[in-house]
């Protein structure tokens, strides 16, 4: 792909009216293979999908003009979905998703300048965020089927992020405020385990 | 008409992001020489400090570099520096001259490094005033004094300045993020009338305030900006991709390979200094937000 864009070093993104001046233009490549299996009949249904992918960029002004992984490069993505009917009224289903961490630029070294610790960064997108994975579970109880009954309802209990995985939203590297010789990394995550109860009506 | 009444009851959780320490292994980076040095037009001892870069989680003071040969030259005269303690090198008492280009030469472990910096001319400061913002309507007692500069900015374009503040002889702006710095894009050739160039917390009447105005180079101005971009002004996911600040020190005879050049900066600057005492509050100037 030609004419792909990415941010230059020290791009100024906040309240910048001339945003386009922060881009640099170059070439990009992407490759992908997908696999998919599905079972549609019987009490147990579901699918498994797997994607193998690679995305790269080469922009003269970025990363000394060397090829680097683009910010949305996810080598492996897996998704498993299963649903099981327990008799006529009960249904249980579960999902598990997995995705490799996307590339980011982390500091590998540090030095001191003007009484501050300055990070030395790796090449552009030289590291990856931690892998993302999560399991969701859902149990549904359907209302009793009666002839001539117009209002139907079902009750659903579901749990998002069942095993409370702390998936990283961002990772901060900073100088410790109490001890300025210490540099540390902190992971910020957004969604912990979230149970929910839903009562659906159909008419 | 289906699903009009969809969700009647949900557990509403207050979503909040949570932070936890992140334990990761980072590669050991290539160890690079780090230079922090300057020369000014003041007659005094000038310092160059040599240290090394370290791993990101090394968590100890930067290792110093001893045994280097360092000299500063203005094209005609050359001044040698002597190592007075580990990694700290000093000149004799000398003064630079604005308008000259200074060359720093470092020979460390058999490798020669070089840096050049032009010394800009610094305009004189006529006077300083002290200002305050009236925050009484927010029930805030603000005992900070804002330093207001009165000076003529020269008509030549592309001048760059930074300002240091001393209170009773002690440097207040001792880390790079506390220093005010500016280009002359909006003030070129104008009189800087009560321009805010810094502030001091918790001042008392009769404190002695010294303002130093430094005429720096465009390269150093950009360098400070980049240092702050990767530290105090780093906006994480809302900012651009991080990168490494460009210093002005190069390894010579390495066929133009930038990746092993030293980090840091050698600055030549001229300086003007003025000292005043904090007057009674009724002589301060009330400042407006806009």
């Amino acid at each position: 792909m030609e004419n792909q864009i990415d941010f230059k070093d020290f791009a100024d993104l906040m309240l910048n009216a001339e945003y386009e001046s922060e881009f640099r233009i170059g070439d990009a490549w992407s490759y992908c293979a997908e696999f998919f299996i599905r079972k549609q009949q019987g009490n147990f249904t579901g699918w498994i999908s797997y994607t193998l992918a690679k995305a790269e960029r080469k922009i003269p002004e970025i990363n000394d003009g060397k090829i680097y992984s683009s910010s949305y490069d996810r080598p492996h993505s897996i998704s498993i979905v299963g649903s099981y009917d327990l008799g006529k009224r009960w249904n249980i289903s579960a999902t598990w998703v997995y995705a490799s961490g996307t590339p980011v630029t982390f500091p590998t070294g540090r030095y001191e300048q003007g009484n501050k610790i300055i990070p030395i960064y790796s090449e552009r997108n030289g590291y990856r965020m931690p892998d993302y994975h999560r399991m969701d579970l859902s149990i549904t109880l359907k209302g009793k089927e009666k002839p001539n009954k117009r209002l139907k309802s079902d009750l659903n209990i579901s749990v998002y992020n069942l095993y409370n995985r702390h998936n990283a939203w961002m990772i901060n590297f900073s100088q410790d405020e109490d001890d300025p010789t210490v540099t540390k990394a902190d992971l910020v995550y957004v969604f912990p385990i979230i149970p929910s109860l839903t009562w659906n009506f159909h008419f | 008409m289906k699903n009009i009444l969809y969700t009647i009851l949900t557990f509403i959780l207050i979503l909040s992001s949570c932070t936890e320490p992140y334990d990761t292994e980072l590669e050991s980076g290539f160890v690079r020489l780090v230079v922090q040095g300057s020369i000014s037009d003041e007659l005094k001892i000038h310092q160059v400090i040599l240290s090394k870069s370290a791993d990101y989680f090394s968590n100890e003071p930067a290792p110093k570099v001893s045994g280097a040969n360092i000299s500063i030259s203005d094209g005609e005269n050359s001044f040698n520096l002597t190592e007075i303690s580990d990694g700290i090198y000093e000149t004799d008492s000398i003064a630079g001259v604005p308008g000259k280009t200074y060359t720093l030469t470092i020979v460390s472990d058999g490798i020669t490094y070089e840096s050049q910096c032009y010394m800009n001319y610094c305009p004189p400061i006529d006077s300083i005033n002290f200002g305050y913002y009236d925050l009484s309507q927010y029930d805030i007692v603000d005992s900070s004094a804002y330093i207001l500069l009165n000076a003529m900015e020269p008509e030549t374009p592309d001048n760059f300045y930074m300002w240091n503040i001393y209170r009773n002889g002690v440097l207040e702006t001792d880390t790079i993020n506390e220093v005010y710095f500016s280009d002359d894009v909006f003030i070129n050739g104008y009189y800087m009338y009560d321009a805010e160039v810094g502030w001091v917390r918790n001042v008392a009447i009769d404190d002695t305030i010294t303002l130093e105005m430094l005429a720096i180079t465009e390269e150093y101005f950009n360098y400070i900006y980049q240092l702050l971009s990767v530290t105090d002004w780093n906006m994480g996911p809302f900012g651009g991709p991080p990168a490494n600040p460009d210093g002005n020190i190069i390894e010579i005879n390495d066929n133009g390979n930038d990746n092993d050049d030293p980090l840091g900066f050698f600055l030549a600057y001229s300086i003007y200094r003025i000292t005043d005492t904090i007057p009674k509050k009724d002589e301060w100037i009330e400042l407006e937000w806009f």
Side-chain angles (χ1 to χ4, degrees):
Chain A
M1 288 177 281
E2 291 173 356
N3 297 322
Q4 296 299 298
I5 55 171
D6 204 345
F7 290 119
K8 71 178 175 84
D9 286 352
F10 300 107
D12 182 10
L13 308 184
M14 285 297 256
L15 307 173
N16 184 352
E18 289 155 355
Y19 209 74
E20 61 276 15
S21 67
E22 308 299 306
F23 291 123
R24 293 295 176 270
I25 299 168
D27 296 334
W29 298 266
S30 63
Y31 315 90
C32 165
E34 294 186 357
F35 304 91
F36 184 72
I37 303 168
R38 180 155 69 175
K39 182 179 182 293
Q40 283 178 296
Q41 288 176 347
N43 283 340
F44 182 76
T45 56
W47 72 79
I48 296 172
S49 79
Y50 170 69
T51 306
L52 177 69
K54 188 181 172 84
E56 288 180 326
R57 279 184 180 152
K58 186 171 193 263
I59 296 177
E61 295 88 352
I62 296 172
N63 203 32
D64 297 329
K66 289 181 286 194
I67 292 178
Y68 64 96
S69 297
S70 83
S71 308
Y72 42 77
D73 176 47
R74 286 188 189 276
H76 308 286
S77 310
I78 301 169
S79 156
I80 301 173
V81 176
S83 172
Y84 188 68
D85 285 329
L86 286 155
K88 279 188 176 172
R89 293 182 60 201
W90 290 89
N91 173 276
I92 180 164
S93 62
T95 310
W96 186 73
V97 289
Y98 170 91
S100 314
T102 49
V104 280
T105 311
F106 278 171
T108 55
R110 63 176 216 180
Y111 63 108
E112 287 172 25
Q113 199 80 163
N115 276 339
K116 275 208 98 68
I117 292 178
I118 315 295
I120 303 172
Y121 285 99
S122 68
E123 70 268 33
R124 179 70 69 92
N125 290 346
Y127 282 81
R128 284 183 183 277
M129 294 289 277
D131 293 345
Y132 180 98
H133 54 87
R134 188 191 88 216
M135 189 176 210
D136 303 337
L137 184 74
S138 162
I139 299 166
T140 307
L141 173 64
K142 286 180 191 144
K144 278 182 183 162
E145 299 258 347
K146 281 182 192 163
N148 306 325
K149 186 184 175 188
R150 287 190 63 202
L151 190 70
K152 291 176 187 170
S153 71
D154 49 50
L155 198 65
N156 174 275
I157 296 168
S158 62
V159 184
Y160 176 90
N161 198 358
L162 184 69
Y163 51 86
N164 197 18
R165 159 93 178 160
H166 295 171
N167 283 308
W169 176 55
M170 64 175 183
I171 290 169
N172 278 330
F173 290 87
S174 59
Q175 188 172 349
D176 195 287
E177 279 168 20
D178 302 326
D179 183 357
T181 60
V182 171
T183 35
K184 58 190 173 66
D186 290 307
L187 177 149
V188 180
Y189 63 94
V190 181
F191 297 110
I193 183 167
I194 303 172
S196 66
L197 182 67
T198 316
W199 193 6
N200 293 314
F201 292 94
H202 311 267
F203 53 88
Chain B
M1 289 297 287
K2 268 189 192 174
N3 298 334
I4 292 177
L5 278 171
Y6 183 59
T7 306
I8 288 184
L9 185 69
T10 51
F11 276 76
I12 298 165
L13 289 179
I14 298 163
L15 300 179
S16 59
S17 65
C18 310
T19 302
E20 64 184 25
Y22 178 59
D23 194 17
T24 183
E25 286 201 2
L26 300 169
E27 260 173 68
S28 281
F30 177 73
V31 175
R32 293 162 80 168
L33 183 67
V34 180
V35 181
Q36 195 176 343
S38 61
I39 184 166
S40 74
D41 64 344
E42 251 187 315
L43 184 66
K44 65 164 195 177
I45 289 164
H46 303 276
Q47 267 192 352
V48 173
I49 302 169
L50 295 190
S51 58
K52 278 181 186 164
S53 67
D55 286 354
Y56 190 74
F57 293 121
S58 58
N59 293 347
E60 40 190 61
K64 296 282 189 287
V65 176
S66 292
N69 284 319
I70 305 182
S71 65
I72 295 174
S73 154
D74 64 0
E76 295 160 23
N77 309 305
S78 183
F79 313 100
N80 285 319
L81 284 79
T82 25
E83 186 170 5
I84 54 136
S85 68
D86 233 15
I88 298 173
Y89 301 77
E90 286 188 349
T91 61
D92 299 332
S93 195
I94 56 168
V97 180
K100 282 188 173 181
T101 298
Y102 287 84
T103 306
L104 172 77
T105 309
I106 300 168
V107 182
S108 176
D109 288 334
I111 302 169
T112 308
Y113 308 95
E114 208 175 84
S115 173
Q116 287 196 329
C117 192
Y118 178 79
M119 191 183 286
N120 271 319
Y121 165 79
C122 184
I125 301 171
D126 293 338
S127 65
I128 51 172
N129 285 319
F130 300 96
Y132 69 98
Y133 290 98
D134 185 10
L135 303 175
S136 55
Q137 58 173 313
Y138 308 110
D139 289 334
I140 297 170
V141 180
D142 184 16
S143 54
S144 304
Y146 293 83
I147 316 297
L148 309 174
L149 169 78
N150 288 296
M152 185 72 202
E153 212 285 321
E155 277 184 25
T156 50
D158 301 326
N159 293 310
F160 299 86
Y161 304 101
M162 61 183 264
W163 290 274
N164 281 324
I165 295 165
Y166 294 80
R167 187 229 313 248
N168 300 330
V170 180
L171 181 63
E172 289 276 312
T173 50
D174 61 349
T175 47
I176 197 84
N177 55 321
E178 294 169 329
V179 177
Y180 271 50
F181 61 105
S182 175
D183 56 23
D184 67 349
V185 169
F186 297 114
I187 52 172
N188 186 33
Y190 290 110
Y191 194 81
M192 292 182 274
Y193 179 73
D194 282 342
E196 191 184 314
V197 292
W199 59 298
V200 189
R201 259 166 274 209
N202 301 325
V203 289
I205 290 161
D206 290 338
D207 274 354
T208 308
I209 300 290
T210 300
L211 177 72
E212 283 182 349
M213 175 150 143
L214 280 64
I216 58 176
T217 60
E218 182 173 8
E219 290 75 25
Y220 190 63
F221 177 86
N222 291 334
Y223 181 70
I224 303 175
Y225 189 90
Q226 293 179 346
L227 284 186
L228 292 172
S229 300
V230 293
T231 54
D232 285 61
W233 299 349
N234 187 349
M235 284 178 290
F238 307 109
N244 292 318
D246 283 325
N248 67 344
I249 295 149
I250 54 163
E251 180 186 340
I252 54 174
N253 303 326
D254 68 343
N255 302 321
N257 176 8
D258 290 342
N259 292 323
D260 53 1
D261 281 345
L263 300 158
F265 210 94
F266 169 63
L267 172 70
Y269 63 92
S270 59
I271 184 167
Y272 198 92
R273 188 182 283 117
I274 193 164
T275 301
D276 206 345
T277 49
I278 300 268
K280 289 197 193 73
K281 190 104 185 195
D282 54 12
E283 291 174 40
W284 294 23
I285 295 165
E286 185 178 346
L287 301 168
E288 303 286 337
W289 290 107
F290 298 105

